[in-house]
């Protein structure tokens, strides 16, 4: 599969779009961590840190589908770059205003979250046009995409803690967001991004949410997000008692590294059977691996357990991308993927908000227990809705259907218009 990834990256525009999207998403991927560290450095409590991170996540969740629908309607450059600049300005506001004024702090994270550009959904909309619309290559790109995200989630926390160590948390916020704007700029000035247009879509106020299968998937990934959000705050509490910010950075990096290893293995072969059944298994394994975190052993063992907790994350995400393809109505591709980001983000926000009081009431183990409960809740949702997930939405994209042989790009729910 490494050779397969290399082949994809040699495709014109592929490497630039992947790297640009990852860099552009760096502020979002490290946002909760940076906000927590900044708030604690300002003297704020765990509850305030968790609440600010939660508000950022909720604002992000609200903005993603709205901006995603705007991208489907008006194209990528007109939406992505202005949003990236406004989001960065929100973090600049937080860095200079501090947390002394609750109104200013919450206002800043709302702006930063609300205008986070939907680069993730935008990249998945571009893959078929860049890769010729071939289903197998697109699915491999999804796996590569999930693996690459884990590189960001591995390097991102270390980068934040490095900036904090070299300067301070406020400077870290400014640097990370300046880098993010440059990444978004690299994507939107590329030829595929400028040429891309969404497929014709049925006028419906619900948009992508009229698909019952997509709703079931979103509900499950709400709880996956809850688990990860709780680990963000519980990890800070653990690090405060076991060595400080450096330990926290290693825990978060280990979580991403575990997902990276799992994603590479998952992408190393073609998996038989329906993606929906495979997703249930992956989420079940993900939930089981969250449970040992409540043991809260020493730093070395805890780092290993955190890496184990991440192993099935990237495979579950990559599999979820295929399920989105199967259930998203035509013409809603960016919006559908943005809804996945939204529900994941809302779940993460709830997780961060719940973990703070849990830590203060029951200690670090109680904070990590939130992750285990949320993981099994995701499995329950997928099990309860398996009949709905087994029936792709009418008019949606059906990965692997016979119609793909006739018109791959249209079956994936979008088309491109190349310039003459």
């Amino acid at each position: 599969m490494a050779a397969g990834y290399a082949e994809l990256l040699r495709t014109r525009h592929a490497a630039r779009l992947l790297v640009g999207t990852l860099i552009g998403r760096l502020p979002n991927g490290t946002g909760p961590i940076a906000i927590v560290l900044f708030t604690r450095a300002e003297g704020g409590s765990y509850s305030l840190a968790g609440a600010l991170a939660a508000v950022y996540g909720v604002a992000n969740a609200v903005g993603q589908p709205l901006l995603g629908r705007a991208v489907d309607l008006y194209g990528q450059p007109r939406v992505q770059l202005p949003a990236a600049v406004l989001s960065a300005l929100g973090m600049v506001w937080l860095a200079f205003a501090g947390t002394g004024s609750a109104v200013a702090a919450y206002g800043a994270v709302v702006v930063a979250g609300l205008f986070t550009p939907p680069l993730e959904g935008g990249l998945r909309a571009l893959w078929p046009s860049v890769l010729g619309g071939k289903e197998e290559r697109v699915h491999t790109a999804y796996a590569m995409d999930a693996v690459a995200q884990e590189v960001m989630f591995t390097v991102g926390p270390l980068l934040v803690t490095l900036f904090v160590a070299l300067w301070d948390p406020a400077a870290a916020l400014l640097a990370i967001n300046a880098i993010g704007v440059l990444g978004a700029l690299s994507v939107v000035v590329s030829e595929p991004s400028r040429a891309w247009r969404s497929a014709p879509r049925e006028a419906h106020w619900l948009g992508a949410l009229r698909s019952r299968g997509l709703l079931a998937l979103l509900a499950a990934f709400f709880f996956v997000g809850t688990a990860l959000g709780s680990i963000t705050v519980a990890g800070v509490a653990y690090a405060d008692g076991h060595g400080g910010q450096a330990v926290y950075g290693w825990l978060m990096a280990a979580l991403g590294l575990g997902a990276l290893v799992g994603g590479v293995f998952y992408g190393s072969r073609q998996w038989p059977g329906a993606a929906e059944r495979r997703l249930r298994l992956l989420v079940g394994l993900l939930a089981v691996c969250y449970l040992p975190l409540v043991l809260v052993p020493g730093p070395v063992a805890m780092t290993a357990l955190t890496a184990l907790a991440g192993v099935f994350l990237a495979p579950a995400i990559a599999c979820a991308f295929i399920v989105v393809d199967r259930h998203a109505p035509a013409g809603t591709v960016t919006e559908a993927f943005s809804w996945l980001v939204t529900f994941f983000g809302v779940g993460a926000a709830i997780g961060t908000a719940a973990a703070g009081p849990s830590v203060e009431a029951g200690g670090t183990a109680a904070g990590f227990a939130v992750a285990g409960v949320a993981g099994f809740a995701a499995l329950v949702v997928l099990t309860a809705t398996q009949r709905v997930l087994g029936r792709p939405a009418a008019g949606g994209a059906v990965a692997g259907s016979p119609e793909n042989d006739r018109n791959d790009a249209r079956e994936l729910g979008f088309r491109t218009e190349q310039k003459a």
Side-chain angles (χ1 to χ4, degrees):
M1 181 52 70
Y5 290 164
E7 180 186 353
L8 290 182
L9 290 174
R10 285 195 296 268
T11 304
R12 189 184 179 199
H13 303 299
R16 173 181 177 174
L17 291 172
L18 179 64
V19 173
T21 297
L22 291 175
I23 294 174
R25 292 186 59 240
L26 188 63
N28 181 233
T30 61
I33 296 173
I35 289 171
V36 168
L37 293 178
F38 177 78
T39 303
R40 292 293 292 154
E42 291 281 302
S45 66
Y46 287 120
S47 293
L48 177 61
L52 285 174
V55 169
Y56 172 80
V58 170
N60 181 280
V62 171
Q64 285 293 294
L66 297 177
L67 293 172
R69 184 174 293 193
V71 168
D72 285 331
L73 292 173
Y74 304 113
Q76 295 194 2
R78 293 183 181 180
V79 178
Q80 305 276 37
L81 185 59
V85 171
L86 289 172
S87 178
L89 289 176
M91 284 300 193
V92 170
W93 179 10
L94 177 64
F96 283 99
T99 59
S101 168
V103 173
Y106 281 110
V109 296
V110 166
V111 171
L114 188 64
F115 290 102
T116 298
L119 293 169
E120 187 175 355
L123 176 62
R124 277 155 220 147
L126 293 176
W127 279 132
S129 63
V130 173
L131 302 176
K134 295 181 179 179
E135 177 192 319
E136 182 177 340
R137 299 190 78 202
V138 171
H139 288 182
T140 300
Y142 285 164
M144 180 180 67
D145 191 350
V147 168
Q149 285 187 66
E150 298 314 322
V151 173
M152 181 188 71
F153 286 118
T154 301
V155 174
L158 294 177
L159 192 59
V160 171
T161 54
L162 175 62
F163 286 166
V164 169
L166 291 176
W167 304 307
D168 56 50
L173 283 175
L174 298 176
I176 290 293
N177 281 272
I179 292 170
V181 172
L182 293 177
L185 178 63
S186 175
V187 172
V188 300
V189 299
S190 69
E191 181 182 344
S193 180
R194 289 183 289 110
W196 181 85
R197 299 294 183 273
S198 175
R201 58 187 287 157
E202 175 187 346
H204 197 292
W205 69 277
L206 281 175
L209 294 184
R210 64 183 183 271
S211 166
R212 295 176 63 196
L214 181 62
L215 288 174
L217 176 69
L218 297 179
F221 269 76
F222 165 85
F223 288 111
V224 175
T226 301
L228 288 183
S230 66
I231 291 174
T232 300
V233 176
V236 173
Y238 177 87
D240 281 350
H242 294 82
Q245 292 179 351
V247 172
Y248 181 65
W250 282 110
L251 289 180
M252 296 298 101
L255 188 68
L257 180 61
L260 173 62
V261 171
V264 169
F265 175 78
Y266 177 79
S268 67
R269 56 172 293 181
Q270 297 294 322
W271 297 90
E276 291 82 359
R277 290 196 298 271
R278 186 163 65 252
L279 182 61
R280 286 199 300 275
L281 174 61
L282 291 170
V283 170
L285 292 170
L286 184 65
V288 169
C289 290
Y290 285 146
L291 296 180
L293 295 175
V294 301
L295 299 175
V296 290
V300 174
M302 192 62 182
T303 300
L305 290 179
T306 306
L308 177 64
V311 166
F312 294 100
L313 179 61
I317 291 173
C319 191
F321 295 160
I322 299 174
V323 176
V324 170
D325 269 348
R326 288 173 55 83
H327 292 273
T332 66
V333 60
T334 309
E335 181 187 342
F337 278 117
S338 296
W339 275 117
L340 184 63
V341 175
T342 286
F343 273 72
F344 193 91
V346 170
I350 297 298
T352 56
S358 296
V359 167
E360 292 176 349
T364 303
F368 284 117
V370 175
V373 172
F376 279 98
L379 178 60
V380 168
V381 170
L382 290 176
T383 302
T385 60
Q386 55 185 304
R387 289 189 177 181
V388 173
L389 283 167
R391 297 191 299 270
V398 185
S401 70
E403 289 185 66
N404 263 330
D405 295 333
R406 296 193 295 271
N407 197 332
D408 289 328
R410 187 174 181 83
E411 276 302 306
L412 286 167
F414 48 87
R415 63 181 174 86
T416 58
E417 293 180 358
Q418 299 295 336
K419 292 186 175 180

